[in-house]
Amino acid sequence: MLTPESLAQIDRELAKYPADQRRSAIMGALRIAQTEKRHLTNELIEYVADYVRIPPVAAYEVASFYNMYDMKPVGKYKLTVCTNLPCALSGGYQAADYLKQKLGIDIGETTADGKFTLKEGECMGACGYAPVMLVNNHTMCNHMTPEALDKKLAELE
């Protein structure tokens, strides 16, 4: 279900923990699986849980709790805008509204061409750079003014 490269990455995650604490590697293992497959299906979560040797329900609890995991397909670019208090006070909601208007979608939706999915996120730990946005859970963008958002969207084209 996963490539040998992804399984090797999961093995490296597992090696970070004592053998009796394999459960600790599940967040990294799910991230690796999602990076390869773009989203987590129930079958993929069960496969990863079996590989890590934990109960599938324990992996599902993690995948369904954290908003970095996608349980349904997302666009090529998942844009997650922080709207926690510091970002909200610094324009987080305005950034989200600007993206909604620009992309023609609402929070939780994907553009018709499958290119962009817009999400609202919790604190990303970059309050001094508010408002912030994550692209595909990995690239932090800061000071997301309309001009900065236009520039980022152009880069993603």
Side-chain angles (χ1 to χ4, degrees):
M1 185 167 265
L2 292 173
T3 64
E5 294 79 17
S6 290
L7 294 176
Q9 289 177 25
I10 292 173
D11 289 340
R12 284 193 292 280
E13 288 294 313
L14 287 165
K16 295 176 183 177
Y17 303 99
D20 64 336
Q21 295 178 20
R22 294 176 69 86
R23 174 185 303 250
S24 300
I26 194 60
M27 288 186 74
L30 290 171
R31 179 190 52 77
I32 291 162
Q34 178 172 283
T35 298
E36 180 181 326
K37 299 293 187 178
R38 305 276 311 131
H39 74 283
L40 299 173
T41 62
N42 289 340
E43 296 78 20
L44 184 56
I45 294 168
E46 186 173 327
Y47 176 85
V48 171
D50 289 343
Y51 192 84
V52 173
R53 289 190 241 140
I54 65 170
V57 69
Y60 185 81
E61 288 169 344
V62 170
S64 62
F65 179 78
Y66 292 101
N67 69 358
M68 70 187 90
Y69 300 113
D70 301 309
M71 305 290 287
K72 62 179 187 174
V74 295
K76 180 177 180 182
Y77 300 107
K78 181 174 82 167
L79 308 176
T80 307
V81 179
C82 180
T83 55
N84 255 9
L85 188 58
C87 280
L89 294 173
S90 298
Y93 282 109
Q94 290 86 349
D97 288 341
Y98 183 79
L99 285 169
K100 287 191 234 179
Q101 177 268 324
K102 186 91 174 171
L103 299 173
I105 58 174
D106 207 342
I107 299 290
E109 295 180 345
T110 300
T111 56
D113 63 2
K115 194 163 196 177
F116 296 101
T117 296
L118 186 57
K119 297 270 190 172
E120 185 175 15
E122 291 299 315
C123 183
M124 297 175 193
C127 304
Y129 301 99
V132 296
M133 176 179 76
L134 275 178
V135 178
N136 291 343
N137 294 331
H138 294 105
T139 305
M140 177 78 68
C141 306
N142 58 59
H143 303 295
M144 291 286 92
T145 62
E147 296 79 20
L149 290 166
D150 285 339
K151 182 178 178 189
K152 179 50 69 178
L153 291 175
E155 290 171 8
L156 299 175
E157 291 295 330

mmCIF file of all heavy atoms in Angstrom, residues 1 9 13 18-19 38-39 46-47 57 73 76 80 88 91 99 106-107 124 130 134 138 143 150 154:
data_model
loop_
_atom_site.group_PDB
_atom_site.id
_atom_site.type_symbol
_atom_site.label_atom_id
_atom_site.label_comp_id
_atom_site.label_asym_id
_atom_site.label_seq_id
_atom_site.Cartn_x
_atom_site.Cartn_y
_atom_site.Cartn_z
ATOM 1 N N MET A 1 0.826 -1.202 0.000
ATOM 2 C CA MET A 1 0.000 0.000 0.000
ATOM 3 C C MET A 1 0.865 1.258 0.000
ATOM 4 O O MET A 1 0.459 2.271 -0.519
ATOM 5 C CB MET A 1 -0.941 -0.024 1.188
ATOM 6 C CG MET A 1 -1.910 1.132 1.200
ATOM 7 S SD MET A 1 -3.242 0.931 2.380
ATOM 8 C CE MET A 1 -4.490 0.246 1.308
ATOM 9 N N GLN A 9 11.006 5.358 5.657
ATOM 10 C CA GLN A 9 10.850 6.566 6.477
ATOM 11 C C GLN A 9 10.117 6.232 7.780
ATOM 12 O O GLN A 9 10.480 6.730 8.853
ATOM 13 C CB GLN A 9 10.086 7.637 5.705
ATOM 14 C CG GLN A 9 10.865 8.257 4.578
ATOM 15 C CD GLN A 9 10.015 9.274 3.811
ATOM 16 O OE1 GLN A 9 9.065 9.842 4.340
ATOM 17 N NE2 GLN A 9 10.367 9.485 2.550
ATOM 18 N N GLU A 13 11.225 6.540 11.782
ATOM 19 C CA GLU A 13 10.404 7.078 12.876
ATOM 20 C C GLU A 13 10.341 6.077 14.025
ATOM 21 O O GLU A 13 10.499 6.441 15.188
ATOM 22 C CB GLU A 13 8.981 7.400 12.394
ATOM 23 C CG GLU A 13 8.873 8.602 11.494
ATOM 24 C CD GLU A 13 9.212 9.897 12.196
ATOM 25 O OE1 GLU A 13 8.723 10.133 13.321
ATOM 26 O OE2 GLU A 13 9.989 10.674 11.625
ATOM 27 N N PRO A 18 11.723 3.429 21.980
ATOM 28 C CA PRO A 18 11.934 2.060 22.464
ATOM 29 C C PRO A 18 10.891 1.117 21.859
ATOM 30 O O PRO A 18 9.772 1.535 21.524
ATOM 31 C CB PRO A 18 11.753 2.177 23.980
ATOM 32 C CG PRO A 18 11.949 3.635 24.281
ATOM 33 C CD PRO A 18 11.493 4.376 23.060
ATOM 34 N N ALA A 19 11.249 -0.151 21.730
ATOM 35 C CA ALA A 19 10.369 -1.134 21.090
ATOM 36 C C ALA A 19 8.994 -1.216 21.747
ATOM 37 O O ALA A 19 8.002 -1.473 21.071
ATOM 38 C CB ALA A 19 11.040 -2.508 21.094
ATOM 39 N N ARG A 38 -1.662 11.602 -0.355
ATOM 40 C CA ARG A 38 -2.415 12.860 -0.385
ATOM 41 C C ARG A 38 -3.534 12.951 0.654
ATOM 42 O O ARG A 38 -3.930 14.023 1.026
ATOM 43 C CB ARG A 38 -2.982 13.175 -1.772
ATOM 44 C CG ARG A 38 -1.971 13.192 -2.875
ATOM 45 C CD ARG A 38 -1.204 14.471 -3.070
ATOM 46 N NE ARG A 38 -2.042 15.640 -3.128
ATOM 47 C CZ ARG A 38 -1.805 16.737 -2.419
ATOM 48 N NH1 ARG A 38 -0.787 16.820 -1.642
ATOM 49 N NH2 ARG A 38 -2.600 17.764 -2.505
ATOM 50 N N HIS A 39 -4.107 11.827 1.091
ATOM 51 C CA HIS A 39 -5.065 11.841 2.192
ATOM 52 C C HIS A 39 -5.123 10.446 2.801
ATOM 53 O O HIS A 39 -4.617 9.481 2.218
ATOM 54 C CB HIS A 39 -6.454 12.332 1.748
ATOM 55 C CG HIS A 39 -7.234 11.347 0.943
ATOM 56 N ND1 HIS A 39 -6.985 11.098 -0.381
ATOM 57 C CD2 HIS A 39 -8.258 10.533 1.292
ATOM 58 C CE1 HIS A 39 -7.829 10.185 -0.821
ATOM 59 N NE2 HIS A 39 -8.612 9.812 0.162
ATOM 60 N N GLU A 46 -5.500 1.861 8.791
ATOM 61 C CA GLU A 46 -5.382 0.506 9.332
ATOM 62 C C GLU A 46 -4.051 -0.128 8.911
ATOM 63 O O GLU A 46 -3.381 -0.784 9.718
ATOM 64 C CB GLU A 46 -6.554 -0.353 8.857
ATOM 65 C CG GLU A 46 -6.564 -1.713 9.485
ATOM 66 C CD GLU A 46 -7.820 -2.512 9.156
ATOM 67 O OE1 GLU A 46 -8.891 -1.901 9.003
ATOM 68 O OE2 GLU A 46 -7.715 -3.744 9.071
ATOM 69 N N TYR A 47 -3.655 0.078 7.669
ATOM 70 C CA TYR A 47 -2.382 -0.452 7.179
ATOM 71 C C TYR A 47 -1.211 0.107 7.992
ATOM 72 O O TYR A 47 -0.329 -0.637 8.416
ATOM 73 C CB TYR A 47 -2.222 -0.121 5.690
ATOM 74 C CG TYR A 47 -0.900 -0.532 5.105
ATOM 75 C CD1 TYR A 47 -0.707 -1.818 4.629
ATOM 76 C CD2 TYR A 47 0.161 0.366 5.029
ATOM 77 C CE1 TYR A 47 0.515 -2.210 4.090
ATOM 78 C CE2 TYR A 47 1.385 -0.011 4.498
ATOM 79 C CZ TYR A 47 1.553 -1.301 4.029
ATOM 80 O OH TYR A 47 2.765 -1.673 3.507
ATOM 81 N N VAL A 57 -7.703 1.428 15.941
ATOM 82 C CA VAL A 57 -8.474 2.499 16.570
ATOM 83 C C VAL A 57 -7.550 3.564 17.158
ATOM 84 O O VAL A 57 -7.870 4.758 17.132
ATOM 85 C CB VAL A 57 -9.475 1.959 17.620
ATOM 86 C CG1 VAL A 57 -8.753 1.396 18.834
ATOM 87 C CG2 VAL A 57 -10.473 3.034 18.010
ATOM 88 N N PRO A 73 -10.139 13.554 0.299
ATOM 89 C CA PRO A 73 -9.231 14.179 -0.671
ATOM 90 C C PRO A 73 -9.194 15.703 -0.528
ATOM 91 O O PRO A 73 -10.203 16.340 -0.215
ATOM 92 C CB PRO A 73 -9.823 13.775 -2.020
ATOM 93 C CG PRO A 73 -10.593 12.533 -1.742
ATOM 94 C CD PRO A 73 -11.141 12.711 -0.347
ATOM 95 N N LYS A 76 -4.413 19.970 -4.649
ATOM 96 C CA LYS A 76 -2.953 19.884 -4.767
ATOM 97 C C LYS A 76 -2.294 20.764 -3.709
ATOM 98 O O LYS A 76 -1.249 20.420 -3.164
ATOM 99 C CB LYS A 76 -2.531 20.325 -6.170
ATOM 100 C CG LYS A 76 -1.041 20.280 -6.401
ATOM 101 C CD LYS A 76 -0.691 20.665 -7.834
ATOM 102 C CE LYS A 76 0.819 20.615 -8.030
ATOM 103 N NZ LYS A 76 1.192 21.031 -9.384
ATOM 104 N N THR A 80 -4.050 26.433 4.780
ATOM 105 C CA THR A 80 -4.630 26.480 6.112
ATOM 106 C C THR A 80 -4.303 27.827 6.733
ATOM 107 O O THR A 80 -3.142 28.132 7.005
ATOM 108 C CB THR A 80 -4.078 25.339 6.996
ATOM 109 O OG1 THR A 80 -4.263 24.100 6.324
ATOM 110 C CG2 THR A 80 -4.788 25.308 8.336
ATOM 111 N N ALA A 88 -6.238 36.365 14.296
ATOM 112 C CA ALA A 88 -7.528 37.020 14.056
ATOM 113 C C ALA A 88 -7.403 38.529 14.247
ATOM 114 O O ALA A 88 -7.919 39.312 13.440
ATOM 115 C CB ALA A 88 -8.592 36.453 14.986
ATOM 116 N N GLY A 91 -5.545 40.116 11.217
ATOM 117 C CA GLY A 91 -6.061 39.968 9.856
ATOM 118 C C GLY A 91 -6.278 38.556 9.374
ATOM 119 O O GLY A 91 -6.470 38.335 8.178
ATOM 120 N N LEU A 99 -9.139 34.863 0.517
ATOM 121 C CA LEU A 99 -8.923 33.612 -0.220
ATOM 122 C C LEU A 99 -10.243 32.994 -0.664
ATOM 123 O O LEU A 99 -10.343 32.460 -1.772
ATOM 124 C CB LEU A 99 -8.127 32.624 0.629
ATOM 125 C CG LEU A 99 -6.643 32.933 0.767
ATOM 126 C CD1 LEU A 99 -6.004 32.050 1.835
ATOM 127 C CD2 LEU A 99 -5.929 32.769 -0.569
ATOM 128 N N ASP A 106 -15.403 28.053 -0.072
ATOM 129 C CA ASP A 106 -15.533 28.346 1.352
ATOM 130 C C ASP A 106 -14.537 27.485 2.120
ATOM 131 O O ASP A 106 -13.889 26.600 1.556
ATOM 132 C CB ASP A 106 -16.959 28.048 1.817
ATOM 133 C CG ASP A 106 -17.371 28.881 3.021
ATOM 134 O OD1 ASP A 106 -16.484 29.433 3.707
ATOM 135 O OD2 ASP A 106 -18.578 28.980 3.284
ATOM 136 N N ILE A 107 -14.429 27.739 3.397
ATOM 137 C CA ILE A 107 -13.578 26.919 4.267
ATOM 138 C C ILE A 107 -14.052 25.466 4.154
ATOM 139 O O ILE A 107 -15.243 25.188 4.214
ATOM 140 C CB ILE A 107 -13.661 27.400 5.730
ATOM 141 C CG1 ILE A 107 -13.173 28.849 5.871
ATOM 142 C CG2 ILE A 107 -12.920 26.449 6.662
ATOM 143 C CD1 ILE A 107 -11.695 29.052 5.683
ATOM 144 N N MET A 124 -0.500 28.195 15.027
ATOM 145 C CA MET A 124 0.633 27.585 14.341
ATOM 146 C C MET A 124 1.958 28.011 14.971
ATOM 147 O O MET A 124 3.029 27.729 14.447
ATOM 148 C CB MET A 124 0.583 27.942 12.862
ATOM 149 C CG MET A 124 -0.660 27.393 12.189
ATOM 150 S SD MET A 124 -0.800 27.918 10.496
ATOM 151 C CE MET A 124 -2.493 27.469 10.155
ATOM 152 N N ALA A 130 1.875 37.111 12.329
ATOM 153 C CA ALA A 130 0.464 37.018 11.965
ATOM 154 C C ALA A 130 0.069 38.046 10.910
ATOM 155 O O ALA A 130 0.653 39.120 10.851
ATOM 156 C CB ALA A 130 -0.389 37.204 13.222
ATOM 157 N N LEU A 134 -0.392 27.982 6.371
ATOM 158 C CA LEU A 134 0.416 26.823 6.017
ATOM 159 C C LEU A 134 0.005 26.332 4.642
ATOM 160 O O LEU A 134 -1.188 26.253 4.338
ATOM 161 C CB LEU A 134 0.190 25.677 7.004
ATOM 162 C CG LEU A 134 0.983 25.641 8.280
ATOM 163 C CD1 LEU A 134 0.562 24.436 9.125
ATOM 164 C CD2 LEU A 134 2.464 25.588 8.015
ATOM 165 N N HIS A 138 3.378 22.078 5.471
ATOM 166 C CA HIS A 138 4.824 22.135 5.593
ATOM 167 C C HIS A 138 5.429 23.518 5.397
ATOM 168 O O HIS A 138 6.475 23.808 5.952
ATOM 169 C CB HIS A 138 5.484 21.170 4.592
ATOM 170 C CG HIS A 138 5.193 19.741 4.893
ATOM 171 N ND1 HIS A 138 4.312 19.001 4.160
ATOM 172 C CD2 HIS A 138 5.645 18.921 5.866
ATOM 173 C CE1 HIS A 138 4.243 17.773 4.664
ATOM 174 N NE2 HIS A 138 5.040 17.701 5.703
ATOM 175 N N HIS A 143 2.636 37.129 7.485
ATOM 176 C CA HIS A 143 2.147 38.458 7.102
ATOM 177 C C HIS A 143 1.285 38.368 5.838
ATOM 178 O O HIS A 143 1.566 39.022 4.830
ATOM 179 C CB HIS A 143 3.309 39.443 6.917
ATOM 180 C CG HIS A 143 4.167 39.587 8.134
ATOM 181 N ND1 HIS A 143 3.714 40.126 9.312
ATOM 182 C CD2 HIS A 143 5.450 39.239 8.358
ATOM 183 C CE1 HIS A 143 4.680 40.119 10.215
ATOM 184 N NE2 HIS A 143 5.755 39.584 9.663
ATOM 185 N N ASP A 150 -1.814 37.106 -2.970
ATOM 186 C CA ASP A 150 -1.754 37.084 -4.433
ATOM 187 C C ASP A 150 -0.426 36.540 -4.918
ATOM 188 O O ASP A 150 -0.346 35.737 -5.845
ATOM 189 C CB ASP A 150 -1.980 38.485 -5.014
ATOM 190 C CG ASP A 150 -3.440 38.930 -4.957
ATOM 191 O OD1 ASP A 150 -4.327 38.060 -4.846
ATOM 192 O OD2 ASP A 150 -3.671 40.150 -5.028
ATOM 193 N N ALA A 154 0.166 33.062 -7.014
ATOM 194 C CA ALA A 154 0.865 33.107 -8.299
ATOM 195 C C ALA A 154 2.033 32.102 -8.309
ATOM 196 O O ALA A 154 2.267 31.446 -9.324
ATOM 197 C CB ALA A 154 1.365 34.509 -8.597
#
